Amino acid sequence: MKRNTRLAKSAVSALFALQALLAMVFLVSCSDNKVAGGNSSEVGSPELMGTLALVEGSQGATKGAAFARVYCVPTDYDPAKEDSTSYYATTADSAGHFAFDNLPEGVYNLEAFYEVPDGWSFALRESGLKIATDAAQTISLGLDQSHDIKIYLQDSKDSLASVSIVGSTYKATAKIAEDEAGKYATFTGVPASYYDSVQVSTSEGANSIKAVLVENTDAVQEFFYDESLHILEIPLNTAASGIDLHDTIEGFPLYIRLSDLNADDHESLVKNIFAMKVYLEPASDWATFKVVYDRDSVPMGLWVRLSTLYPQREMQKLVFAWNGARSGAAGNAQGLMRAADPFSYTDGFVAAWNFDEREFLDSTVSTSGDNPFKGHVTDVTTGDGIIGGAFVFNGKSSNIEVGGTADDRAFALTDTSRFTASFWVNVEDTSTSRFIWGKSESEYHFKYQARDSDSSSWMFKEMDETNPDHWYTANIATAPEIDYKQWVHLTVVKSGDSTAIYRNGELEKVSVSINKTSDKRISDGPFVIGARKQSSGKIDRVLKGKLDELYFMNKAQSGEWARLIYLNQKPTDYWPK
């Protein structure tokens, strides 16, 4: 392994732009295989190796990023104080393959720079890669565009300023100018970045500007040095030392409990919650958040949309940033609220009920996300739930009918061959069968099936419309010590003829039906939560107990997704803390 001793300044301060219909995909694997990669000088047992490729056009054709420069940079590298001997460099071969060998164990940021013959140049950065013996991982990343940023300085008398990003090879200098807001320096060619600390230096000293995210926008972005800025970091360790995640999870709604914060952070964050920004590292994007309130209308938690949660990463984190000197300011958070909702349709959510309402205006309740299905509420009360509130069903007349009148949007699973349902339920009476949710008994439903004490079950049942005498059925035996009179989490994943049921994040059973149908499902009854509605209109088999966090998705989620939902929402020992 060779250290870089002759890196040209143009390699770290060039302009990077995004070419139309062109993206860069970055594949990395950590391995002890004795395979040479990258330039021919890389030999031995590589700890980091992979391929850089350009993907062109809508057909996804790829070609190697020949002779791209690749840097492996310690996460604590400070370009304002250290030089190129403090990080590692190599060059990809003609096919885009590269390799580093004999890297010391540690956590690194990886950067790659590539110029194409027509003058376009590209860069990407991936943070928080752990290099360790006997470790392996594969990552796909999109290319980020570079941009211009304007950084306002504190009463500088100099004519030049320099800027650098902690943990990156990026450095640049700029002339100092002045406008009505004060003195500033404009830096060009800054790669779109994950959350970072940016250091600005003049001969008069250096300032560190925290929580800087260079966005994918053509507008020049402005940053101010601000001593009152508060930074709070929430670790999202998905490595074996954390939750040991093995799937990449996209569009995940993560709940953060504010009760975990210390008193000072809690008070300041709640006071300034509508001026707060949330960053996800690594993701190169702001994270959307939604506030959950307690019965006294005090913020108690945040739903945060994780655009991408990578497996086997120790260094992922959420970063909350707010300005304590601007209490009550609304500005920055409004941009976040226009982004995708944590329960949006683009992430697969067809409907999501959080059940946090404390009262029912016009006897209705709406879903979260961008599909506001209305439900007509009958004899349902509210109580404390897993997150925020929960709905309480009386076992006699309680129910929520979704889309029961012409002025409401009717919810239904239009394709029951592929969906995911996730929910928490607390059953108080097990003397008879109770419906949790369903679209009439003759279509599909999930229920508690009461039988003898040793044979009761949780059951999903769906009619085969090509043969009314046949059903798709999946059930798991109840376990009284964990299923009765306490919260239990259940996930149903239907994929074709296969139905999987997860209890408290663990796969209990996969049932494969021999019945098959390609006919379109006929929707002749309303979707009802907490009871069964017969074709005659009679309501029975009413749930006696509580229900919370009921989600329906139009895709079959993985077992890792089911486990993560449970670990994040469970009442105690939840993730992350």
Side-chain angles (χ1 to χ4, degrees), residues 173-218:
T173 59
K175 291 182 178 180
I176 296 175
E178 188 171 2
D179 61 15
E180 64 278 2
K183 292 186 176 181
Y184 66 89
T186 300
F187 299 93
T188 60
V190 182
S193 177
Y194 308 126
Y195 154 81
D196 276 302
S197 292
V198 169
Q199 293 185 346
V200 182
S201 301
T202 67
S203 62
E204 300 166 341
N207 290 326
S208 178
I209 302 177
K210 297 181 179 179
V212 170
L213 185 75
V214 181
E215 299 179 81
N216 289 307
T217 175
D218 293 332

Side-chain angles (χ1 to χ4, degrees), residues 108-182:
Y108 294 86
N109 296 329
L110 205 69
E111 296 179 320
F113 301 89
Y114 178 78
E115 289 81 33
V116 294
D118 61 5
W120 291 95
S121 51
F122 301 84
L124 60 80
R125 179 179 173 215
E126 170 67 356
S127 64
L129 288 172
K130 183 176 181 180
I131 306 299
T133 305
D134 299 327
Q137 56 185 306
T138 300
I139 307 155
S140 296
L141 293 177
L143 176 67
D144 293 321
Q145 183 179 0
S146 65
H147 302 283
D148 296 349
I149 64 173
K150 181 187 287 187
I151 296 182
Y152 283 88
L153 310 172
Q154 287 187 309
D155 301 323
S156 176
K157 299 178 181 178
D158 287 4
S159 60
L160 289 176
S162 63
V163 68
S164 57
I165 299 175
V166 175
S168 169
T169 60
Y170 179 80
K171 289 183 183 179
T173 59
K175 291 182 178 180
I176 296 175
E178 188 171 2
D179 61 15
E180 64 278 2

Side-chain angles (χ1 to χ4, degrees), residues 305-362:
R305 177 183 178 270
L306 303 184
S307 57
T308 307
L309 187 64
Y310 293 107
Q312 300 301 305
R313 302 291 183 87
E314 287 191 345
M315 298 299 292
Q316 289 174 104
K317 58 188 174 184
L318 279 173
V319 181
F320 300 145
W322 67 94
N323 188 310
R326 302 173 187 169
S327 175
N332 292 331
Q334 298 307 309
L336 294 177
M337 303 308 284
R338 290 194 297 269
D341 186 276
F343 298 95
S344 74
Y345 187 81
T346 56
D347 292 322
F349 287 92
V350 181
W353 285 272
N354 297 126
F355 297 140
D356 291 335
E357 290 82 357
R358 300 302 180 185
E359 58 183 11
F360 307 115
L361 299 177
D362 300 323

Side-chain angles (χ1 to χ4, degrees), residues 540-577:
D540 63 359
R541 300 295 174 97
V542 178
L543 170 66
K544 184 174 178 57
K546 297 180 181 180
L547 190 61
D548 199 9
E549 305 304 326
L550 174 60
Y551 313 150
F552 290 95
M553 307 188 73
N554 60 5
K555 63 174 73 173
Q557 292 286 6
S558 68
E560 289 278 72
W561 188 93
R563 184 171 67 93
L564 199 60
I565 282 284
Y566 167 71
L567 291 177
N568 175 232
Q569 297 180 7
K570 62 188 296 194
T572 59
D573 299 322
Y574 46 81
W575 175 86
K577 283 191 175 182

Side-chain angles (χ1 to χ4, degrees), residues 261-321:
L261 308 184
N262 64 50
D264 291 340
D265 283 340
H266 185 278
E267 180 182 4
S268 182
L269 186 149
V270 169
K271 189 177 181 181
N272 298 280
I273 200 163
F274 291 110
M276 183 177 67
K277 291 183 178 181
V278 182
Y279 305 86
L280 173 62
E281 180 185 350
S284 191
D285 203 0
W286 288 359
T288 305
F289 66 91
K290 175 183 175 182
V291 184
V292 178
Y293 298 91
D294 63 15
R295 289 181 177 271
D296 297 320
S297 299
V298 176
M300 61 181 296
L302 298 172
W303 285 111
V304 181
R305 177 183 178 270
L306 303 184
S307 57
T308 307
L309 187 64
Y310 293 107
Q312 300 301 305
R313 302 291 183 87
E314 287 191 345
M315 298 299 292
Q316 289 174 104
K317 58 188 174 184
L318 279 173
V319 181
F320 300 145

Side-chain angles (χ1 to χ4, degrees), residues 373-403:
F373 298 109
K374 278 189 176 181
H376 286 266
V377 178
T378 301
D379 295 338
V380 175
T381 58
T382 65
D384 293 329
I386 288 292
I387 294 174
F391 284 3
V392 182
F393 296 78
N394 62 18
K396 298 178 180 179
S397 56
S398 299
N399 71 91
I400 302 173
E401 184 173 320
V402 184

